[in-house]
């Protein structure tokens, strides 16, 4: 169903009856009730209530925030950039410690807004909330928080908000609803996209890999795939609504479909997505090197719609560390995979994630990582300083690496990655490539900004009418991480 059809379903719900048991009708019921409440508030205040959704972390969280905004929009909230809003939500990330610290800092700042506006509602959700210690700390030290929910029950957002604002008896209590895991996937809820012409699409949730440093499997639960029919229906709806590019999202898209009643491979799913008329570009992330199949590589060579971009997290180049990290591939396996991918798609951009300072990392281990970086010549890479996550096997490993050693390695790696990326980008200067125009340039309103198939950013002279279109652009100058270009008449 598209947004309009869901809106109709919400309007058709009879709110004089008790709430239905079945989802998503149950949520339609609460959205409908909250709409009525919003109309009263509008009369009282002479304006709509405002909301501000702050997102931390990855593409999964960004997509979850679009789901929350979809529901808020349907209730009648108006979006506000500032946290001085009637409803403030932090959709949190906990993959590294500093993501947690940022949230506590921001929560402290909210206190002043709540003093000014006692009716303000504060909500916390996302990965951090799946950790018991975090919820305990918030209960103790951040009494200004009204509602806490987790990664598994975002679909219940309207119901939780209704408990807070409609049920007076509960109005002072902190509402906490965090589930440990779920197999439930609720379809047909409204989603508010950030971009009109491109969208993320969840194809699966959770992760079964348990890399020894990573908290994701503990906070996002076991891997579960959406039914291909639901994914295709969603993408068809998006395309009918103007979307030309989709990013298929999962922690490990290469194992998509394994747990379905009628299992299908990720490549088969891609074939079905590619067949959707009107859809022009397909991206996906993230791929785990251990599960990337020859079938997929061959398909990447044939496909007309798959973008020439592959995010392939390395984490470390040392076989010894890869084993302790529980990654199930060696440096050699990884390099072989890169070779195969480049053979199939010669001009593909390969990007990666690398962790520096994993417990016990020696100079030799680090040298192996640098060696892979030299050999692969990444187009870009996210580099992370290892962060100890309580509950993961790596957190209790001896030989945590001193900060100064890690910092030195990190700086060295980052410099090398940047130099390689910037040299590589120079090679494409002079080429004309297709660019999907995404927005007006922030600095100069006579320019627009878009992305190439390889996911490089290009700025070039143009106006708003180009937004959402794919146009040929000559890459005139490389600025390291982006290009300055010129549109070419097709
Ligand atoms: N410390 C540092 N980086 C981490 N990542 C995951 N867990 C940790 C951790 N504990 C990185 C990995 C992953 C990316 C999303 O975050 O590189 O691919
Ligand atoms: Fe974390 Fe590994 Fe799963 Fe990626 S594959 S989310 S790094 S456990």
């Amino acid at each position: 169903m598209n947004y309009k059809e869901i809106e109709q379903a919400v309007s058709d719900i009879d709110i004089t009856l008790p709430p239905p048991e079945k989802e998503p009708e149950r949520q339609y019921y609460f959205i409908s009730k909250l709409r009525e409440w919003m109309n009263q508030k509008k009369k009282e205040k002479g304006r709509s209530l405002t909301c501000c959704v702050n997102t931390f972390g990855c593409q999964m969280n960004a997509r979850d925030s679009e789901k929350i905004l979809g529901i808020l929009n349907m209730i009648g909230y108006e979006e506000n950039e500032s946290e001085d809003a009637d409803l403030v939500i932090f959709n949190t990330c906990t993959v590294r410690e500093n993501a947690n610290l940022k949230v506590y800092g921001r929560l402290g700042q909210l206190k002043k807004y709540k003093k000014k506006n006692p009716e303000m509602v504060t909500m916390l959700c996302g990965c951090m909330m799946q950790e018991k210690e975090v919820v305990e700390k918030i209960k103790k030290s951040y009494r200004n928080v009204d509602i806490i929910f987790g990664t598994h029950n975002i679909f219940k957002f309207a119901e939780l908000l209704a408990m807070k604002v409609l049920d007076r008896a509960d109005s002072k209590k902190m509402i906490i609803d965090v589930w440990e895991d779920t197999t439930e996937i609720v379809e047909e809820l409204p989603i508010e996209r950030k971009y009109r012409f491109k969208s993320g699409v969840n194809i699966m949730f959770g992760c079964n890999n348990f890399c020894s440093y990573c908290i994701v499997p503990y906070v996002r639960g076991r891997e579960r795939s959406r039914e291909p029919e639901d994914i295709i229906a969603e993408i068809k709806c998006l395309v009918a609504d103007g979307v030309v590019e989709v990013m298929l999202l999962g922690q490990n898209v290469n194992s998509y479909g394994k747990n379905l009643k009628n299992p299908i491979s990720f490549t088969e799913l891609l074939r079905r997505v590619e067949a959707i008329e009107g859809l022009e570009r397909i991206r996906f992330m993230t791929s785990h090197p251990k599960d990337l199949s020859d079938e997929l590589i061959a398909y990447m060579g044939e496909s007309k719609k798959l973008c020439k971009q592959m995010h392939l997290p390395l984490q470390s180049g040392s076989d010894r560390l890869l084993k302790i990290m529980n990654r199930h591939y060696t440096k050699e396996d990884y390099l072989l995979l890169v070779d195969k991918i480049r053979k199939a798609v010669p001009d593909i951009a390969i990007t990666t994630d690398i962790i520096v300072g994993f417990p016990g990392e020696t100079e030799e281990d680090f040298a192996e990582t640098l060696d892979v970086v030299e050999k692969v010549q990444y187009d870009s890479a996210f580099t992370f300083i290892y962060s100890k996550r309580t509950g993961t096997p790596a957190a209790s490993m001896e030989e945590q690496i001193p900060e100064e050693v890690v910092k030195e390695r990190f700086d060295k790696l980052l410099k090398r990655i940047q130099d390689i990326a910037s040299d590589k980008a120079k090679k494409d200067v002079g080429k004309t490539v297709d660019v999907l125009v995404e927005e007006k340039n922030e600095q100069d309103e006579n320019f627009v900004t878009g992305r190439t198939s390889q996911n490089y950013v290009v700025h070039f002279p143009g106006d708003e009418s180009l937004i959402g279109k794919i146009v040929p652009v000559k890459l005139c100058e490389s600025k390291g991480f982006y290009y300055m270009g010129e549109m070419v008449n097709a």
Side-chain angles (χ1 to χ4, degrees), residues 356-357 361-363 366 401-411:
V356 182
E361 184 187 70
T362 62
E363 280 304 323
F366 180 63
I401 310 290
E403 223 178 289
E404 43 317 337
V405 177
V406 180
K407 184 77 179 56
E408 202 186 308
R409 287 180 193 164
F410 181 83
D411 291 346

Side-chain angles (χ1 to χ4, degrees), residues 236-253:
K236 280 188 176 161
C237 245
L238 289 168
V239 170
D241 199 34
V243 163
V244 292
E245 178 182 302
V246 289
M247 163 83 91
L248 307 180
L249 297 170
Q251 303 295 348
N252 176 12
V253 292

Side-chain angles (χ1 to χ4, degrees), residues 473-488:
V473 175
K474 184 173 174 191
L475 306 175
C476 302
E477 193 187 350
S478 158
K479 297 274 196 184
F481 298 110
Y482 62 91
Y483 291 99
M484 299 307 294
E486 238 169 49
M487 198 161 109
V488 177

